[in-house]
Structures are given as structure tokens and as C-alpha cells.
Amino acid sequence: EGKRMAAPVNAHAAKVREGDKLFAEAEKCLKTSWLKWNPDYDGAAHAFDKAALSYRNAKAYDKARDTYDRASDAYYKNHSVFHAGKSLEQAANVCRDMKALEQAAEFMERASTLYHESGHGDTAGQVLTKAAKLVDSTNPRKAAYYYLATAELHETEEKFREAANAVKSAVNMWARAKDFDKMLEALLRLKQLHEQSQSYRRLHEVAAIQVVVQLHNDDSIAAMETLNSACSIPGFTGSDEAPLLEKLIEAYRERDSEELQKCCDDVVFRTMDNEIAKLARDLKLKFEFGSEAVAVSLPRPQPPQEAKPQVTRNAPLTDMRAELFGGTGGGRPEKKRVVETEEEEEEFGRMLEPAVGDEGGASVEDSKVPVRTELEPPVGMELEPPVEPKGEMKSELSDDFQKTDVELGGGEGGEEEQEDSNPFGGMLQ
């Protein structure tokens, strides 16, 4: 048994010694001398490749990884860019064997750059996709970055369907990372790619995902705008997504947990990718746990208050009495309206004589000019009090008034006495 265990160890040691020998040869190729002015990059690259393979077979992964990196550098300096990328991809595979996934993804990213530089865009996209799959479970944000870079490579070659698939994978990664803002940005880009390839059926799915993400952001207004804009997509109004999204938004606004649960469990969401279906379920669970807090924060209903009567400024007193006391406002008001401004007082002074002395003029009550409660002169005018006659003058005036009344026929039978006392009555007739 000891011999059996020693055999693999000796084999690994032999492979390591073989790798060291090849590595020394590669270093020798890079040296210069008086007779050798330029390094032999081609010979060094091949020697490094062979040494790295020996280290990998001996499971000396650290040495194998570093040697592949040296081989890539030698290939690049020898203007063999594609082979430099291949060496970096081999280094990434060694890191994967070491379970160093993050490091493996970094080597693959470098390899894709060299592939793209050498004019092999498809190979570069494939390598980036491999890098994204290495870290999608541990670092979804970095995986989303790799998928978006892959989409850019496909777009440069006008392969819109392949680019759309890469962006869709990035959307799933942002959903896993719960970064809804980045997810909305990726969805807008995915929408543009589907429009360029005229994949209208996939645009329906994009609209449904957008609505779910916007509801996760508690933005039902944006969700409704997305639904309205999606109605312009050919075939959307007759699809299964249109009525489902309308019910989903309405249930979210009305806080109807039963209807929301039905919408989230619909077959439209269950047939989507796992991350999107899980996102829809999270919307349901998030709402159920948050519904109690929403119900508590609602304002309490207040008892109805009686409406207070509103009095219009400068309105007639009849209307004011009707509003304040509930009457019909008919009949003559007990008090006259009050003049409030100086312009109204001047107008009142001009209209005072025809309003009182002239029979054809309008009366004070009928005029539309507001008047004071008691008849007073305009502002700034002072009237002297009337002077009463004294003593004899007062008696003489009263006698004159009595005589005048008798002459004018103020007593009984006055008309007959005037006719008899007129000596010219007959001649006039």
C-alpha cells in the first residue's frame, strides 16, 4: 500500500520537475546577449505553455496559473493576440479547478478583451458569458456587468437577438441583487433591442416585468404609465398580459390582498424566468407584511361639520337676511345699506336731490347706491343746525301760514267763497 501511495506522489514530482525544466528554457529564450539582440518571444511562449501544462497535470495549480499568464504575455509581445487570449483562458480554467471563481472570471474578462482585439467578437462574447456564469451565484452585480458587456459585443456585430438574450440575463442578475433602478435601466435597453428585431411578443413580457419592478418601488403611477404605453405595442391589448397588469395595478392601489395574490400566481408570471417569478412572489409577500402598517397609517374619519352661512360682501340686506336667518328676503328691509367708500359717498351726494325731491327720480330705497342707516351728509361736509324763530317773529309766521291756508281753500266750502268773491267770474266764463 505504501508503494501505491508513493507512485502518484513520484509522478507529480516528476511532472513538476519537467515543468521547472521547461520554465527555465522559456526564461532563457527571453534573455539577450552580444550575439542575440532580441528576445525569442515565440520560443518562450511555447515553452511557457508546455511548462504550465506540466504543472497542471501535477496539480501544482499556483505555478500553472502564473506560467499561463507568462505565456500570454510572450504571445502578445510576439503579436499573436489570439493565442495570448487562449493562454489567459487556460489560466482561468486553472483558477476554476482551484475553486477561485472570482479570479477565474477576471482572467476570462482579460481573455475576452484580447479576443475582441484580435477580431473574434463571438469568441469574446462566449468567454464573457462563461465568466458571468462563474460568479452569478456569489456576485450577481459583477455577473450583470459581464452580461451587459457581452450585449455590447453582439450589438457591434448587429446581432440584436443575441444581445437581447444577454441583456435579459443581466436583468435576472439585477433582480437577484434587488437593484431595481439598474433593473429598470436594463429593461429599457432590452425593450430597444426587441424593437429593433421586431420581437413584439417579447415586448409584452418586458412590459409585465417593468410593472412588477415599479410596484416594488411603490410607484403605481409609473406602472400605469408603462401599461398605457404598452398598449401601442402590436398585439398587446389582446394578450394575456394586458388584463393581468390592469388588475395587478388596481389591486395594489386598492390594497386588495386576495386579488393581488391571484395576479401574482398567474400563469403569465409562473412561466417567466425563476428570478422574475420570485420577484412577483416577493411583491405579494411584501404587500401582505406591509398591509397592517398601511392600515394603521390611514387617517381616522372625522364627523361631518355643519356648513356655516357665507355672507357676500356689499350684498343687499334682503339677501343677507335671507342667508343668515333663513328667510325669503321679501319686503322692505328694516335698515338701509351703509355707504362704505368715498366714491359711493360722492355719488350719494350727487343723487340725493333727484332721489328725494323729483317725482320721476328714483327713490333712495330703489336706487342701487348703498346709503347710510341714517341720512347724513357726505364726508367732510358739516351742516349747521336749523335756527328756530324767536318770540313775535314766530307768532307772525304762524298767522301768515294760517291766512295762506284759508286763502288757498284749506277750510270747508272754500271753493264756493272764491267763486262769489271774484267779480269777473262771469266774464271769464
Side-chain angles (χ1 to χ4, degrees), residues 2-108:
K3 292 181 180 181
R4 292 178 182 177
M5 295 178 63
V9 174
N10 293 332
H12 291 166
K15 288 291 183 182
V16 170
R17 288 192 298 270
E18 182 182 354
D20 291 339
K21 184 179 179 180
L22 292 171
F23 190 87
E25 291 180 2
E27 289 285 355
K28 186 178 180 181
C29 292
L30 295 176
K31 291 180 180 182
T32 59
S33 64
W34 289 100
L35 299 176
K36 182 182 178 183
W37 292 357
N38 296 322
D40 184 10
Y41 291 115
D42 185 57
H46 285 89
F48 279 133
D49 265 342
K50 293 179 180 179
L53 181 60
S54 299
Y55 288 139
R56 186 176 182 182
N57 293 332
K59 295 185 179 180
Y61 296 125
D62 293 335
K63 289 186 176 183
R65 177 196 59 198
D66 296 338
T67 306
Y68 275 124
D69 195 2
R70 293 289 302 274
S72 174
D73 184 62
Y75 277 123
Y76 189 81
K77 291 179 179 180
N78 195 36
H79 306 290
S80 181
V81 182
F82 180 80
H83 288 89
K86 291 292 289 184
S87 296
L88 288 179
E89 188 176 359
Q90 292 296 327
N93 293 333
V94 172
C95 293
R96 184 184 58 187
D97 296 338
M98 297 170 59
K99 308 299 181 183
L101 301 181
E102 293 283 345
Q103 194 174 12
E106 292 176 0
F107 274 111
M108 286 188 175

Side-chain angles (χ1 to χ4, degrees), residues 211-221 223 244-261 263-264 280 282-288 290-291 294:
V211 170
V212 172
V213 175
Q214 287 163 347
L215 290 181
H216 267 282
N217 286 336
D218 198 17
D219 193 354
S220 58
I221 297 177
L244 174 63
L245 296 180
E246 185 176 0
K247 292 179 182 179
L248 179 64
I249 296 174
E250 184 179 359
Y252 189 87
R253 286 182 171 181
E254 298 294 332
R255 305 299 183 186
D256 190 352
S257 58
E258 295 182 358
E259 185 65 23
L260 189 68
Q261 182 178 1
C263 295
C264 293
D282 291 344
L283 175 64
K284 177 183 64 176
L285 296 174
K286 175 185 175 182
F287 177 79
E288 289 179 354
S291 59
V294 172

Side-chain angles (χ1 to χ4, degrees), residues 371-388:
V371 298
R372 296 179 181 274
T373 306
E374 296 179 359
L375 192 61
E376 295 181 1
V379 177
M381 184 181 293
E382 297 182 359
L383 298 179
E384 297 181 358
V387 181
E388 296 184 0

Side-chain angles (χ1 to χ4, degrees), residues 266-335:
D266 193 86
V267 66
V268 173
F269 292 118
R270 286 190 283 109
T271 53
M272 292 184 182
D273 294 337
N274 293 332
E275 298 297 333
I276 305 303
K278 184 179 179 181
L279 196 66
R281 292 195 301 269
D282 291 344
L283 175 64
K284 177 183 64 176
L285 296 174
K286 175 185 175 182
F287 177 79
E288 289 179 354
F289 287 116
S291 59
E292 183 177 359
V294 172
V296 173
S297 63
L298 292 176
R300 295 183 179 180
Q302 300 293 334
Q305 298 180 357
E306 297 182 358
K308 296 181 180 181
Q310 298 181 356
V311 180
T312 307
R313 184 178 178 84
N314 297 336
L317 276 176
T318 55
D319 299 338
M320 294 170 60
R321 293 179 63 189
E323 292 178 4
L324 293 173
F325 304 105
T328 59
R332 182 177 178 180
E334 296 180 1
K335 290 186 179 182

Side-chain angles (χ1 to χ4, degrees), residues 214-241:
Q214 287 163 347
L215 290 181
H216 267 282
N217 286 336
D218 198 17
D219 193 354
S220 58
I221 297 177
M224 183 58 70
E225 292 178 355
T226 301
L227 178 59
N228 293 334
S229 63
C231 293
S232 61
I233 302 173
F236 180 79
T237 55
S239 64
D240 297 334
E241 287 85 353

